[in-house]
């Protein structure tokens, strides 16, 4: 089970930090050529675009589990991945993130302790899935930041 975040204000601070970091990353990406954004930097790893698209998809995916609680999300309800184009990824990141923030702001803090199933990880809490969302973002941000540095933008 993921650690449970139970403070709405703490979660909102972390989500704001994600927003601020994404702005910086997206500005750095805007300065790169298309072939740089698609460069994996290390063979067999994801490019910056692939990492960003995955973050947008994953945020929508985790929110789907939270919204369906305590039931499971069916495979056919899996959100689509955004196209590997910076404008589409930027929009998908903004929309997914805004939806998570709206969920947190639109529910009482007690929702964070509600049971929530999450994929193969099994039974969690809403706060636990949000913990994973934040942890997941930080994990991929490390890859993205390193790759941007190698591409001359870090």
């Amino acid at each position: 089970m993921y650690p449970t975040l139970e403070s709405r204000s703490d979660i909102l601070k972390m989500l704001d930090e994600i927003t601020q970091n994404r702005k910086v990353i997206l500005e750095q990406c805007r300065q790169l050529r298309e072939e740089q954004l698609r460069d994996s930097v290390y063979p067999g790893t994801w490019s910056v675009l692939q990492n960003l698209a995955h973050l947008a998809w994953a945020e929508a995916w985790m929110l789907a589990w939270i919204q369906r609680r305590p039931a499971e999300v069916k495979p056919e309800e899996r959100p689509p991945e955004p196209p590997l184009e910076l404008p589409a990824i930027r929009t998908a990141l903004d929309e997914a993130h805004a939806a998570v923030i709206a969920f947190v702001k639109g529910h009482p803090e007690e929702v964070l302790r509600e049971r929530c199933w999450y994929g193969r990880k099994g039974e969690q809490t809403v706060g636990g899935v949000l913990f994973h969302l934040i942890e997941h973002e930080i994990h991929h941000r490390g890859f993205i930041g390193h790759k941007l540095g190698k591409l001359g933008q870090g």
Side-chain angles (χ1 to χ4, degrees):
M1 184 171 216
Y2 295 117
T4 303
L5 295 177
E6 295 186 358
S7 166
R8 183 168 54 188
S9 69
D10 287 348
I11 290 171
L12 289 171
K13 286 175 191 171
M14 288 182 255
L15 293 174
D16 183 58
E17 190 266 342
I18 287 171
T19 301
Q20 298 311 314
N21 274 279
R22 284 182 179 178
K23 285 180 184 177
V24 171
I25 288 168
L26 291 169
E27 178 55 30
Q28 291 172 328
C29 288
R30 191 183 65 74
Q31 296 174 33
L32 293 173
R33 296 181 315 277
E34 185 70 25
E35 61 269 14
Q36 289 175 296
L37 291 170
R38 294 181 181 281
D39 184 346
S40 67
V41 179
Y42 303 104
T45 66
W46 286 354
S47 68
V48 169
L49 280 182
Q50 288 171 305
N51 272 280
L52 290 171
H54 175 72
L55 285 175
W57 170 84
E59 193 161 12
W61 177 241
M62 289 181 219
L63 182 59
W65 285 94
I66 289 169
Q67 290 173 324
R68 179 55 63 86
R69 73 187 181 288
E72 295 183 42
V73 176
K74 298 175 183 141
E76 62 271 14
E77 296 171 311
R78 190 178 174 106
E81 293 193 25
L84 290 179
E85 301 164 351
L86 191 57
I89 291 170
R90 179 186 300 270
T91 298
L93 284 166
D94 287 347
E95 289 176 355
H97 202 58
V100 169
I101 292 168
F103 175 86
V104 174
K105 286 184 172 184
H107 290 81
E109 195 166 56
E110 295 77 38
V111 75
L112 301 173
R113 291 185 288 280
E114 289 183 16
R115 286 181 50 237
C116 179
W117 198 260
Y118 179 63
R120 296 180 304 233
K121 298 294 184 184
E123 187 174 319
Q124 304 291 322
T125 64
V126 170
V129 176
L130 289 170
F131 171 87
H132 179 59
L133 184 151
I134 293 162
E135 171 187 60
H136 181 259
E137 176 83 18
I138 293 167
H139 169 86
H140 281 279
R141 188 188 307 154
F143 290 143
I144 293 166
H146 177 74
K147 290 182 180 207
L148 286 171
K150 291 288 188 182
L151 294 168
Q153 286 298 312

